[in-house]
Amino acid sequence: AQRLEMTRLAGEQLGLGERVETLDLELRRQGKSYTADTLEELKGRYPEDELWLLMGTDMFLTLHTWHQPEKILSLANIAAFSRTQEDMEAEFSRQREVLWHLCPQAYLFTLTIPGVVDISSTQLREKLERGEGENFLPPTVYGYILREGLYRTGADLRHLSLPRLRPVAL
């Protein structure tokens, strides 16, 4: 529920109004929640829409090991983004071949965008625990993390400076 709320807050910060919607499909589902099931439900709700699954390099390079990867590839286009300076094309190319073997009709888009958000989620959580990293998050999301004490932030809201208190108020 907390991740859903942070996603909703981040979506609001994009300024796209009703063109961005945060859904609670996976929270309402009983048992394990798999990407293939979520995409199937979305395709059922929006049969005319083109679905895209966006992911980082680490997720893309392991997609073939996910639950029902062929189903995922048949329901959504895949866009994978690398945030590192190193050339990922050789690894991307090998993985595209693996995935096309699973689903020859799959549409796979890969792109390296150095420095867009040059931090992994693990690194970000570590920074937040040390009282750093707020510059990687929308202010409302950072404020929510502080208010809820997520990722061991442990901020004492009564003793925050005004600049650090502002996101909490958002």
Side-chain angles (χ1 to χ4, degrees):
Q2 290 174 323
R3 287 183 180 183
L4 178 69
E5 180 59 14
M6 287 186 286
T7 302
R8 187 192 67 73
L9 291 168
E12 283 181 358
Q13 291 280 281
L14 293 173
L16 298 175
E18 293 181 15
R19 293 185 290 175
V20 172
E21 184 178 2
T22 305
L23 303 173
D24 63 353
L25 304 175
E26 294 180 334
L27 283 180
R28 290 186 286 111
R29 189 175 297 131
Q30 296 294 315
K32 289 187 176 183
S33 184
Y34 294 105
T35 301
D37 299 332
T38 301
L39 290 171
E40 185 173 49
E41 188 171 344
L42 287 170
K43 197 62 170 173
R45 284 184 180 202
Y46 310 101
E48 302 302 316
D49 291 351
E50 185 176 298
L51 300 179
W52 281 86
L53 184 58
L54 311 177
M55 62 184 65
T57 303
D58 51 347
M59 294 290 100
F60 180 69
L61 295 177
T62 62
L63 182 56
H64 62 285
T65 67
W66 293 17
H67 178 75
Q68 297 182 319
E70 335 51 43
K71 187 176 182 180
I72 293 169
L73 295 166
S74 70
L75 291 168
N77 300 318
I78 307 296
F81 301 91
S82 172
R83 64 179 174 267
T84 63
Q85 293 285 353
E86 68 183 83
D87 183 11
M88 293 300 299
E89 185 48 39
E91 288 183 67
F92 280 163
S93 181
R94 281 191 296 276
Q95 182 64 351
R96 282 193 300 267
E97 292 299 323
V98 169
L99 297 175
W100 281 326
H101 181 73
L102 290 173
C103 182
Q105 303 83 7
Y107 184 80
L108 308 169
F109 177 79
T110 56
L111 180 65
T112 299
I113 309 174
V116 168
V117 177
D118 197 14
I119 191 167
S120 71
S121 57
T122 301
Q123 291 169 323
L124 179 56
R125 287 189 296 271
E126 290 169 354
K127 282 185 173 290
L128 290 169
E129 187 175 348
R130 293 191 309 265
E132 304 167 2
E134 65 269 16
N135 55 311
F136 291 100
L137 296 165
T140 55
V141 174
Y142 180 63
Y144 180 86
I145 289 169
L146 291 178
R147 280 192 311 276
E148 297 296 315
L150 303 178
Y151 311 118
R152 298 186 206 118
T153 51
D156 181 355
L157 303 182
R158 294 172 301 201
H159 296 98
L160 287 180
S161 65
L162 284 179
R164 301 239 12 213
L165 190 58
R166 184 177 184 278
V168 175
L170 294 173

